[in-house]
Amino acid sequence: MAAPPLGLLVLAHLLVALFGMGSWAAINGIWVELPVVVKDLPEGWSLPSYLSVLVALGNLGLLVVTLWRRLAPDKGEQAPIRAVQALSVMGTALLAPLWHRVSPVAGQPHSVAFLTLTLLLALACCASNITFLPFLSHLPPPFLRSFFLGQGLSALLPCMLALAQGVGRLECPPATSNGTMGPPHYFPERFSASSFFWALTALLVISAAAFQSLLLLSPSLPLAPTGGPGSHRRVGAPQAGPLPLQEPPSQAADTTSSTDPKAHRLLSAHSACLLGLLTVTNALTNGVLPAVQSFSCLPYGHLAYHLAVVLGSAANPLACFLAMGVLCRSLASLASLCLLGVFFGAYLMALAILSPCPPLVDTSAGVVLVVVSWVLCLGLFSYVKVAASSLLHGGGRPALLAAGVAIQVGSLLGAVAMFLPTSIYQVFHSGKDCVDMCDP
């Protein structure tokens, strides 16, 4: 069968990237909007610890999806994906008018609406890892890398939106005659938190529309290669069974019982190591490092913090672009890249522990080092995640399902590991705006 036109393939890759964008955009958007909402919510700056707990509870979404697969094995993959997308759109759409509503709980005011909707969005985002990834097992491996590029956009686009909003802009007044500094002047945001959440809702609607468009395009797309004759058929080519990207009437022919030897690669030590790399990298990028980003960057100034956030978020899709052209297939090389990322992560952790007076504070070299470390650290880990997932793609749907579980388990372990030192024992200390806390 002739290969599909180039324009069709480009459109399909774009739709897959937009589909992946909706996976974690909601929770990422809430994180970057925290500096705005904490000013009006009664929890104040204890809200990030609440958010960490809610994201950890969101892992119950994995159990819900697993239960769905057990009770309705013949319903296919589209129903849970649509449910996740509908929950994400509904949650962010309700956040826009309700995020500031406060209700009394045990005699104390709490942002019940904000916290409840955040929990619903956490359930949806956590479930996306084990619903979106298995769906892509029907497409060739390059589409998986486009999906991870979209996941990178789910962090980058909310971040860019927050920067356009003007989050965290302040001005330090000149020192008085006795050398003391007055209180900082905070500039108002260019648009409200409600407008931000409406914009976030629009991104999620675009992602859901991309998924529906991908289904309409599916008859013209190639199948994932199976290694046998006709392994490069189009999805719309004549075949005995149902179309892989269309809703099957039954999935009685379970992928795990396939005679394809690649379907059993999960039993190998090689696949176990790849899943281990996914677990470790996601524990660091989704749990450990985000918890210390402000502590490691803010001592060097708000410019360093914003540069680290924006360029670090941009490193994810750039790593996906790199993986499209140069995919590392050596397990030893991937492990080496992971160790290099751990080295930069250890440097950032040391800066956070030494906050608010880390080395090279108030110097240009310190700013450059912290920003470059964040970019390289997140870029290396993103490349390892994409490469490991691409190598697991050969195992079909079970392998990608295992990859989704490894990603979510790693994220949970990282969040749990950082909850006690950040929220209970206060290991990390932040500075104060316009106050030099490092004077001898």
Side-chain angles (χ1 to χ4, degrees):
M1 195 81 178
L6 177 61
L8 185 67
L9 285 177
V10 171
L11 176 60
H13 279 283
L14 176 62
L15 292 175
V16 170
L18 292 175
F19 169 53
M21 178 188 69
S23 57
W24 278 89
I27 290 299
N28 289 333
I30 291 175
W31 272 113
V32 299
E33 192 65 4
L34 278 181
V36 178
V37 301
V38 295
K39 294 185 289 187
D40 295 314
L41 296 181
E43 291 82 5
W45 276 109
S46 63
L47 202 59
S49 61
Y50 282 85
L51 186 55
S52 298
V53 173
L54 293 174
V55 173
L57 290 175
N59 286 277
L60 294 174
L62 276 71
L63 300 179
V64 174
V65 174
T66 302
L67 185 62
W68 165 268
R69 294 186 190 281
R70 292 290 183 183
L71 298 179
D74 59 337
K75 295 298 183 181
E77 297 164 344
Q78 294 182 28
I81 291 176
R82 288 194 177 106
V84 166
Q85 291 180 327
L87 192 60
S88 297
V89 171
M90 181 187 69
T92 52
L94 289 175
L95 266 179
L98 300 178
W99 70 269
H100 58 279
R101 299 291 180 89
V102 175
S103 303
V105 177
Q108 298 294 325
H110 284 283
S111 49
V112 175
F114 180 84
L115 295 175
T116 302
L117 292 172
T118 298
L119 176 60
L120 291 177
L121 292 173
L123 289 169
C125 291
C126 292
S128 70
N129 281 331
I130 61 169
T131 54
F132 290 14
L133 277 176
F135 173 80
L136 295 172
S137 63
H138 305 305
L139 291 172
F143 286 94
L144 185 65
R145 300 193 274 280
S146 295
F147 173 82
F148 279 106
L149 187 151
Q151 274 201 331
L153 294 178
S154 74
L156 179 61
L157 292 181
C159 179
M160 298 298 292
L161 190 60
L163 286 179
Q165 186 184 17
V167 173
R169 293 186 304 144
L170 61 86
E171 183 180 69
C172 294
T176 60
S177 56
N178 59 3
T180 60
M181 299 283 290
H185 172 66
Y186 295 95
F187 295 99
E189 289 78 28
R190 297 186 180 95
F191 51 87
S192 66
S194 294
S195 299
F196 177 91
F197 290 127
W198 281 125
L200 198 60
T201 303
L203 290 179
L204 292 170
V205 169
I206 291 172
S207 178
F211 174 65
Q212 296 303 319
S213 301
L214 189 62
L215 294 178
L216 294 176
L217 203 65
S218 62
S220 303
L221 297 178
L223 285 168
T226 59
S231 61
H232 293 283
R233 297 172 301 169
R234 292 189 195 179
V235 176
Q239 53 181 322
L243 301 181
L245 288 186
Q246 295 180 351
E247 196 71 32
S250 172
Q251 290 185 338
D254 192 359
T255 317
T256 56
S257 60
S258 170
T259 56
D260 183 3
K262 288 185 178 180
H264 301 280
R265 287 174 57 186
L266 282 178
L267 303 178
S268 69
H270 183 267
S271 293
C273 290
L274 291 174
L275 292 173
L277 284 176
L278 281 177
T279 303
V280 171
T281 53
N282 282 278
L284 293 171
T285 58
N286 298 341
V288 175
L289 293 174
V292 301
Q293 186 165 38
S294 60
F295 297 105
S296 65
C297 296
L298 283 178
Y300 297 96
H302 282 266
L303 176 61
Y305 176 72
H306 288 308
L307 286 175
V309 170
V310 174
L311 296 180
S313 298
N316 192 320
L318 287 177
C320 297
F321 271 120
L322 179 61
M324 288 180 178
V326 182
L327 183 65
C328 177
R329 299 182 179 275
S330 166
L331 182 60
S333 298
L334 290 178
S336 299
L337 291 175
C338 185
L339 287 176
L340 185 58
V342 170
F343 170 78
F344 288 110
Y347 172 71
L348 296 170
M349 182 65 69
L351 295 182
I353 293 174
L354 296 173
S355 176
C357 299
L360 301 176
V361 70
D362 294 328
T363 66
S364 299
V367 173
V368 171
L369 277 176
V370 70
V371 172
V372 169
S373 295
W374 271 106
V375 172
L376 292 178
C377 180
L378 296 179
L380 287 168
F381 284 144
S382 296
Y383 183 86
V384 171
K385 286 190 288 186
V386 175
S389 300
S390 298
L391 296 180
L392 286 168
H393 186 282
R397 181 179 175 277
L400 289 183
L401 179 60
V405 172
I407 289 171
Q408 204 50 51
V409 168
S411 303
L412 174 61
L413 292 177
V416 170
M418 294 305 294
F419 179 74
L420 288 179
T422 56
S423 302
I424 304 298
Y425 295 112
Q426 306 294 327
V427 173
F428 306 99
H429 304 282
S430 59
K432 297 180 180 180
D433 291 330
C434 301
V435 176
D436 186 0
M437 303 182 67
C438 301
D439 282 337

